[in-house]
Amino acid sequence: MAQRPMGARRATAGSAAALAAGMALVIGAAAPGQAAPAAAAAGARSVPNCGAPATGVAGTTDVERTTGITGTTGDAVMAVGTGSAAQKLSYSLAPEAPIGLWSSSNVTLRTPVSKGAVHLDVTTQGFIAASLMIQRYDEKSHRWLDLNVRPDSGDRPNTGRFSFPLSVAAGPGRPTTVALRVQAIDRPGRLAVTASVDDGHGHTYRAPTRNAVVDRPTTTVTGWSRGTGLVRGGAAKEFALTVKNTTKRAYPALNAGYFAYGQSGSRAVAPKDLVLQQYVPGRGWQRVSLVPGGCDPGMSAELIPTAKTPLAPGATAVYRMRLAVAGDAPVTDVDAGVTVGTGDTSFSYQALPFKIRTK
């Protein structure tokens, strides 16, 4: 199942995918450097979080403070210093693009461009190109702006072109670098990007293709099996969600949630019908509130954070839970599951359906 920013997924009553969308009700706003969700055709796009940057840290640039990506300026300088002075265009891309995190990229021009355009032609493996976000940093407004994307014809969903207009008086001795950032919001795979520039004088220059691995932390659920049944008024079922950061990047805003949906005739399963608890070290078992899903009769809950923030590479977060059913709950099948994400982007979803029984 393709993952989308939780706030961008549209609900379809009764489907597990729609229940995951309900997590938008309880997951907080995007963290600094993350993008806020917005629905768009042919895939989920985003609007940059363009509020005031976080408190400055000595030695960081405006780009670093705004994005949360360190090394952006260093990447730009490195790109300027590579290749010969006659090179017209160079492009850099971080080798890893973990889902839900911004990864640094930039384009460096060494030729004048007059009312021209820069194009980034992307090819994806494992996810659709429409679920990719690319933004450029605008020096005048100090904001990250979405790149224009060519509409997908539908026959090649793994390709796309992102573009932006450009006019610069660059040359071999005075290169101009445009800071970019890339974020994948779907599934793991690979990404290839080929940058080119139309200089406005009838010339097109291309840079070598750059590749990146799109990955995500590993999530596993133990203690829950297919065909699980819970008796009304009976004992709680204990299970656990484990998240291990198997990427090379820290996840600064890790969050996890639980959701459920069930209906028997005109009677839907309501938050009062389920008792969800989570074990918190030093505090014991704590009740976790389930929030109704608005017009969707489903429900969702934000789990209590259990790990240090950010979740460092190699670190693990464990969410121990137990679920019980109230004595007057309807007898029905329940679509339920857990989601894991960062900021407002879900990078993992796992279904945990169960039956409500009388005995």
Side-chain angles (χ1 to χ4, degrees), residues 24-310:
L25 297 173
V26 292
I27 298 300
Q34 301 295 326
R45 308 304 307 157
S46 75
V47 177
N49 179 6
C50 299
T55 303
V57 178
T60 61
T61 66
D62 287 341
V63 174
E64 291 172 332
R65 288 193 294 269
T66 307
T67 64
I69 300 173
T70 58
T72 303
T73 302
D75 289 344
V77 173
M78 190 179 302
V80 171
T82 59
S84 65
Q87 187 178 13
K88 307 295 184 181
L89 169 70
S90 62
Y91 173 70
S92 71
L93 174 66
E96 183 190 39
I99 295 175
L101 301 183
W102 289 110
S103 297
S104 61
S105 176
N106 62 61
V107 168
T108 299
L109 286 304
R110 298 179 183 83
T111 187
V113 178
S114 178
K115 296 182 180 180
V118 174
H119 307 290
L120 301 176
D121 291 297
V122 305
T123 301
T124 61
Q125 296 179 14
F127 57 95
I128 60 174
S131 66
L132 189 70
M133 299 187 292
I134 304 181
Q135 298 178 339
R136 68 177 176 89
Y137 186 72
D138 181 65
E139 295 286 352
K140 293 183 179 179
S141 65
H142 302 288
R143 297 175 60 187
W144 285 97
L145 306 177
D146 284 346
L147 300 193
N148 295 325
V149 59
R150 183 174 60 192
D152 178 22
S153 62
D155 57 343
R156 299 185 64 189
N158 66 321
T159 63
R161 166 171 280 198
F162 296 79
S163 305
F164 60 94
L166 187 69
S167 292
V168 294
R174 50 176 182 178
T176 296
T177 296
V178 179
L180 304 169
R181 63 181 185 178
V182 178
Q183 184 178 152
I185 57 173
D186 201 333
R187 291 173 291 186
R190 298 191 64 86
L191 170 67
V193 183
T194 302
S196 63
V197 60
D198 299 327
D199 68 356
H201 304 289
H203 303 105
T204 298
Y205 304 100
R206 288 181 174 79
T209 299
R210 302 300 181 191
N211 299 279
V213 174
V214 176
D215 53 4
R216 64 184 176 190
T218 300
T219 59
T220 56
V221 173
T222 56
W224 200 275
S225 58
R226 294 174 62 91
T228 291
L230 297 179
V231 178
R232 296 193 301 180
K237 172 72 171 178
E238 187 172 341
F239 59 103
L241 166 67
T242 301
V243 183
K244 182 176 182 179
N245 188 359
T246 49
T247 76
K248 298 177 182 178
R249 296 269 304 279
Y251 269 77
L254 185 72
N255 52 59
Y258 179 85
F259 60 88
Y261 169 88
Q263 188 157 349
S264 177
S266 60
R267 169 76 156 89
V269 178
K272 66 182 181 63
D273 297 318
L274 301 180
V275 179
L276 178 65
Q277 293 181 307
Q278 182 181 344
Y279 185 82
V280 180
R283 295 166 54 189
W285 289 101
Q286 304 290 309
R287 181 75 177 265
V288 180
S289 298
L290 289 158
V291 180
C295 58
D296 185 339
M299 66 193 83
S300 58
E302 181 180 7
L303 298 182
I304 302 169
T306 62
K308 292 183 179 180
T309 299

